Amino acid sequence: MKSLSEVTMEKHLSTPAKDAPCPMCSGTGYQLEWPCEACGGNGQPKAKAGEPSRPHGSKRQSDGLPWSDCKVAFDLNTDPDDFWTWYDGEGRHLMPRGWGLNETDGTGARYVAVFRVEVMPSAEDGATVAHLIKSFEAREKQHG
């Protein structure tokens, strides 16, 4: 006779893989005490009207998020070209998952680094990116 854990594992292995869980509720179906509006309470992102279905594993990270493109900007108090050199050389590997440098802009009164975010942005990830930028700027002042 099989143990409960063996039966559970067999059921898990025989169940087809589902799409990624809803990014708003992490697949629980609830936000706080209420059913998640993004997935209708079923824990899976709603398909967009007219969107072709994709095989499991082929979805972009940003699919299922409530926006089509998310960019987050941070003040950049250094030469944008130097920042790009750092990012391409070593900084890219230090960014949180789903974050990538998209552009630097100096057309306003200050320089900013603009990151494309392909996951649900969190305050912790934002703090990590802000810390990396400040660390880079401090290093540039020492060596500049």
Side-chain angles (χ1 to χ4, degrees), residues 41-121:
N42 72 2
Q44 297 296 311
K46 292 180 183 177
K48 297 180 183 117
E51 179 180 272
S53 62
R54 298 182 188 172
H56 177 69
S58 67
K59 296 184 90 166
R60 293 185 322 251
Q61 287 179 332
S62 58
D63 285 353
L65 294 176
W67 52 77
S68 58
D69 193 20
C70 179
K71 293 182 181 176
V72 180
F74 293 83
D75 286 335
L76 188 61
N77 299 312
T78 189
D79 185 336
D81 292 335
D82 290 344
F83 188 73
W84 271 106
T85 301
W86 168 81
Y87 178 79
D88 289 338
E90 65 183 81
R92 175 187 316 264
H93 306 292
L94 302 174
M95 291 290 139
R97 182 182 64 85
W99 287 65
L101 183 61
N102 189 67
E103 64 181 302
T104 52
D105 184 18
T107 57
R110 61 186 181 192
Y111 288 126
V112 293
V114 181
F115 295 86
R116 175 166 276 132
V117 183
E118 295 184 350
V119 296
M120 181 64 71

Side-chain angles (χ1 to χ4, degrees), residues 75-78 132-141:
D75 286 335
L76 188 61
N77 299 312
T78 189
L132 290 170
I133 291 170
K134 295 297 179 204
S135 297
F136 169 77
E137 291 173 347
R139 187 178 72 190
E140 285 295 294
K141 284 182 184 176

